Structures are given as structure tokens and as C-alpha cells.
Amino acid sequence: MKNTISLFDFSKKINYKNELLAGFTVAMTMIPESLSFAILAGLSPLTGLYAAFMMGLVTAVLGGRPGMVSGGAGATIVVLIALIQSHGIEYLFATVALAGIFQMMVGIFKLGKFVRLIPQPVMYGFLNGLAIIIFMAQVEQFKITDSNGGVSWLQGMPLYIMAGLTALTIAIVYFFPKITKVVPASLVAIIIVFSVVLGFNIPTKTVADIAHISGNLPDFHIPKVPFSLETLQIIFPYALIMAGVGLIESLLTLSMVDEITNSKGSANKESVAQGLANITNGFFGGMGGCAMVAQTLVNLNAGSRARLSGIVASLLILIIILVGAPVIEKIPMAALVGVMMMVAISTFQWVSIRIVNKMPKSDIFVGVTVALITVILHNLALAVLVGVIISALVFAWDNAKRIRARKHVDENGVKYYEIYGPLFFGSVTAFTDKFDPVNDPDQVVIDFKESRIVDMSAIDALDKLSKRYKQQNKTIYLRHLSEDCRKVLKNAEAVVEVNIQEDPTYKVMPEK
């Protein structure tokens, strides 16, 4: 039953049934991932669950994108493992709080819009790499740790049971929506597999085999680190990297949700919320985090489009920590593994494979490179940064080749160069090569009607060209400069000597 009273936004409808069921499903899938990454980093399991609760709650209430889920994500904790091992958990909390301050500053100064500069091939590579990471993380659940700490693959009957239950979960998630979409398929799969294991008393790996998750409310405490310049030098680079990784993953996830829901979120508002959530983590014993792509997709697939599901998921995790741990610890890992494998399959951008023959080779290279860096290094920020840099260089190279000059001489003997294409650092060499100061007439006009002066390299090229003509006792004039181009030259008039036509307000400073 749909209710028209909305949470936080009274102009939109909210389906409370979908939101509640989606929140429950998200909580079930968030718990094992938060536990796994906390243990991977050598932290207490509760540190991961506290992060899932606090990140989820703060960003659900204050974030810039309804339907998006944040928690104790592995992308951010992975970059802090070295700090934890060398300086301990208190330095982790201080770093998480400082990273939160950086993220809030990005939102306050409205820098979140720069996520728009991330090209589509980078998005494809990011999501494909992330899908592979999510899938491979689930494969790791088919391993077991013995009493001596040795890790080996499940064998014999335990392997067959785990594989069978996982296959059953995947089948339910795949086929159940064909019957009805009233209840999230992933939640139905978890409940059915849970019931089968309990009803037939099947021995299999459960959440309790990863860690016990009962505890108390998170306590406020100031990180116990020396308040000194030396401490800042230690945590500053880690905080900067964590803030970057967290924001890139969060804002990419926001863009992904925008596409899926055909609506618009606020990158700056989300940045502030992520920062506030991480500051809260730093002072309440959480490991910090960011948006979680897999859980966000689970949430959207379950029908959530509002903030309520994220709030429900967070509060449910807190309730589980306080009173519900004995039940949740009995959930078979196979059920959660199956759900997450289906999430990985849906996260993978299969369209990027179908259109691979229709994409430019440079875009294919960017997508594959980003995916490989994501999978091999687990460094999402580096992967996206490399992808953006390669795309920018390809764009610069393509535009550098596009500059052209159409030449003609009028009845008065004045030679005209009509420039087509942008004049910037990549195209200045080709631009300069088009002129012939020795053989040109005394007066030369460069027409920028179809061109733009973009950067300092372009200004410098014009200045050098002007001086080459001056050495031959000849004069060049710049015509049809746009307002922004004239402003750029005006700002650089102390270092450049050019003559501009059709601009009576412009005064050229003579060369000293």
C-alpha cells in the first residue's frame, strides 16, 4: 500500500513497504561486508558495525541522494591498513575524523561538481572493476581458516553444501521477480535459505564463523593521540587519501543512482554528509567509510527510492548489535554470498562489452585500464585518477590535431589567417608552423572567429609570433577575439605584445 506522505520531501510519494523491506535486506548484506573488512584491517568486528550504523544513518538523513547507502566500506579502510599496523587504532580514529573535515570542506566550497569531469569509459571501468572485486570477495567465503591460522578451500561435503545453498540463493534472486516484485527477491532468498538450513539442520558456514557481533552503544571518546605537529604529519597523508577515495566512490555512486532513477542528487550536499559521518566515526569508535555500491544496488533493486530504507538499515544494524546478534549469527554465509554475487553480476556494465566494437580505441583502453587498477590494486581513487588523466590527454591530443588555418590576401595586400580549432598547449606548435613571417606581407590579420585562446601556452605562442613578425618590421593584428579571450590577454598584457582589432577599449602595453 502506497502512502503519499513522504519523509523529508513532501512532494514525492513514498512506498513504506518497499522502504522497510529494502532497509532490512540492505542491513543483512552490509553486516558481513563490514565485518570482513574490519577483520581484514585487524580491527574489532564491532568497529566495522559501528561504522555501518553511523555512516548509514548520518548520510541517509543528511545526504544529497535518497536511495544511496553508505557504510564501513572496504575502499576506505584498505588505504589505512598500513597506518593501523604502524601506529594503532587511536591514530585510525584521528585520521577518519580529519578525513571527514576534508570531505566537508569539499562540499562547503562546492567542489563536488568536479565529479562531472569523469568520462563514461572511466565509469564503465570503475563499475566493472568493482563488480569483479565484489564477486571475488564472495569466492573468498569458500575458504576456511583452521585453528593454526592456515587458510584452505572448503572440500568434500562442506563445499557441496556451500555451493548448493549459494546456487539456490542465486536461483531465487533471479527467478523470484518473475513471480512477484512485492517483496525484494534478495530478502526472500535469505529467509528461504535460512529456513532450509535451520529446518534440516544443515551444517554450513554462518555469520558467527566470521565474528560475533553483539555489543553496546558506541561511546564518545576523543582519539588518544598526541595533539602535536608530528601527529598531524603522520595522519595528514592518510586522511587526504581516505577523503579522496571516499568522495570519489561516493560521488560516482551518486552519479550511478542518478542514472538508474532518472533524477538528480546533490554532490556537494553528499560531500558534507560523508564528512560529517566520518567525523562522527572518529569520535565514536567507527572505522569510517563511504558510499557502498553493492548495498546501494541491493537497495534500489528492492524498490527503495527514498531515505527511509537507509535509516531503517542503520537502526536495524544497531538493534542487531544490541539484542539481535544470536539470530543474525545463524544466517548461512551462502545466502549472503549468493545475494552479493547477483549484485556483482548486475553491477557489471555488460553494455560496455556489447558496444566495444563501436567505441573509440582510446575509450576501450581507458575502461580496461581503470578496471585493472581497481581489481589489482583495490585503489579506486588511483584508478579513476589515471582514467581521467588518460582521457584528458587523449582529448588534448585530438584537439591539438584539429587546429587549421585558412589563408587569403585581400585587394590591399593584407594577408588573413582564419583559425579553426582551440589554441592551447597541445596545439601551439601546429599553430605556429602555419605562419611565414619572412614571406608574408607587411600587415597580417589572424582571425579567431572560429577559435579560442585557452591558456598561457597560447598567449606565449602569440607573443613569440608577434615578435617574429616585428623582427621583420611587420605587424600582426588579432581579430574577432571573444570576450573571454580578450580578458585572458588583458590579464597577461605585461608579458605579451599583440595588436587587437575591433576592441577600442583595449590598450596594449608597449615593450620596455
Side-chain angles (χ1 to χ4, degrees), residues 129-141 170 337 340-345:
L130 206 58
I132 294 169
I133 288 176
I134 293 170
F135 192 89
M136 295 308 296
Q138 308 318 308
V139 174
E140 289 295 309
Q141 297 299 333
I170 291 173
V337 166
M340 296 305 290
M341 280 184 171
M342 287 301 291
V343 166
I345 291 168

Side-chain angles (χ1 to χ4, degrees), residues 7-174:
L7 190 71
F8 304 112
D9 185 354
F10 291 95
S11 65
K12 296 180 181 177
K13 293 182 179 180
I14 180 171
N15 188 319
Y16 284 104
K17 175 184 64 63
N18 279 1
E19 296 298 318
L20 292 171
L21 292 175
F24 187 81
T25 310
V26 167
M28 293 303 100
T29 58
M30 196 184 290
I31 287 171
E33 189 163 338
S34 299
L35 291 175
S36 298
F37 282 114
I39 294 167
L40 174 68
L43 302 171
S44 159
L46 281 175
T47 310
L49 291 181
Y50 286 153
F53 159 61
M54 289 183 284
M55 290 296 306
L57 184 61
V58 174
T59 56
V61 174
L62 302 176
R65 175 68 268 178
M68 204 162 107
V69 177
S70 294
T76 51
I77 196 62
V78 165
V79 301
L80 302 179
I81 290 177
L83 174 69
I84 298 166
Q85 292 173 343
S86 60
H87 289 85
I89 192 169
E90 293 298 327
Y91 277 82
L92 164 71
F93 296 144
T95 303
V96 169
L98 182 59
I101 293 171
F102 290 152
Q103 291 176 329
M104 284 191 71
M105 288 171 64
V106 168
I108 291 168
F109 290 107
K110 301 189 183 304
L111 303 177
K113 59 188 176 185
F114 287 107
V115 75
R116 299 175 196 159
L117 297 176
I118 297 175
Q120 191 62 42
V122 176
M123 280 288 286
Y124 281 151
F126 165 77
L127 291 171
N128 290 347
L130 206 58
I132 294 169
I133 288 176
I134 293 170
F135 192 89
M136 295 308 296
Q138 308 318 308
V139 174
E140 289 295 309
Q141 297 299 333
F142 286 84
K143 294 180 179 179
I144 191 168
T145 305
D146 59 29
S147 57
N148 298 322
V151 179
S152 60
W153 291 96
L154 290 171
Q155 294 180 344
M157 190 54 67
L159 174 61
Y160 303 144
I161 292 172
M162 182 83 170
L165 292 173
T166 302
L168 174 61
T169 305
I170 291 173
I172 295 170
V173 173
Y174 182 78

Side-chain angles (χ1 to χ4, degrees), residues 480-491:
H480 290 141
L481 285 173
S482 63
E483 189 62 39
D484 57 327
C485 295
R486 284 202 288 268
K487 185 177 179 182
V488 168
L489 283 171
K490 178 71 175 174
N491 292 337

